[in-house]
């Protein structure tokens, strides 16, 4: 009678252990994004951003990856700047794109902002390069 309880307990522990170890593995999947920014139809500036581990040629990969992690790679919901800065009313349109993979999920993002200040208020450090 005690053996079935021990086996059931062992099976439950095994199932919990499998779930616990699967979560960090999914969160640690490498992410690679190609980011572009172009003002007024000019030649785009292109950088590569890798996360988990942080790297690429993005000037502040650590902060950009941290901000992406906060929204699970959903750029539309980026936290933006800490304190939304008052932006001057200077019209210098900037178009940004992001393509690649975030933890195994396809990312395709494009948006246009009035100027770099508005872009930073909406997307934090991600396109600040």
């Amino acid at each position: 009678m005690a053996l079935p309880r021990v086996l059931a307990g062992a099976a439950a522990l095994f199932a919990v252990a499998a779930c616990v170890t699967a979560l960090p593995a999914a969160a640690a999947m490498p992410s690679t994004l190609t980011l572009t920014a172009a003002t007024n139809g000019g030649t785009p500036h292109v950088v590569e951003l890798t996360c988990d581990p942080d790297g690429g040629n993005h000037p502040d990969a650590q902060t950009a990856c941290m901000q992406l992690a906060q929204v699970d790679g959903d750029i539309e919901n980026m936290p933006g700047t800490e304190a939304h800065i008052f932006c001057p009313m200077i019209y210098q349109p900037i178009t940004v794109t992001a393509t690649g993979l975030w933890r195994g999920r396809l990312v395709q993002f494009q948006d246009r902002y009035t100027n770099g200040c508005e872009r930073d208020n909406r997307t934090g450090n991600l396109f600040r390069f």
Side-chain angles (χ1 to χ4, degrees), residues 28-29 35 40 74 121:
M29 287 182 73
L35 307 171
N40 227 6
D74 184 2
N121 273 344

Side-chain angles (χ1 to χ4, degrees), residues 2-16:
L3 185 58
R5 273 195 239 154
V6 170
L7 291 175
L13 284 174
F14 179 74
V16 169

Side-chain angles (χ1 to χ4, degrees), residues 28-75:
M29 287 182 73
S31 302
T32 303
L33 297 173
T34 300
L35 307 171
T36 65
T39 54
N40 227 6
T43 304
H45 186 167
V46 180
V47 300
E48 296 293 324
L49 174 67
T50 58
C51 301
D52 303 320
D54 303 343
N57 61 346
H58 190 287
D60 192 0
Q62 184 177 11
T63 302
C65 289
M66 179 193 67
Q67 291 174 339
L68 276 169
Q70 289 175 349
V71 294
D72 194 27
D74 184 2
I75 299 171

Side-chain angles (χ1 to χ4, degrees), residues 82-96:
E82 290 289 320
H84 289 280
I85 300 167
F86 176 75
C87 294
M89 296 183 72
I90 298 171
Y91 185 70
Q92 188 176 19
I94 185 165
T95 302
V96 297

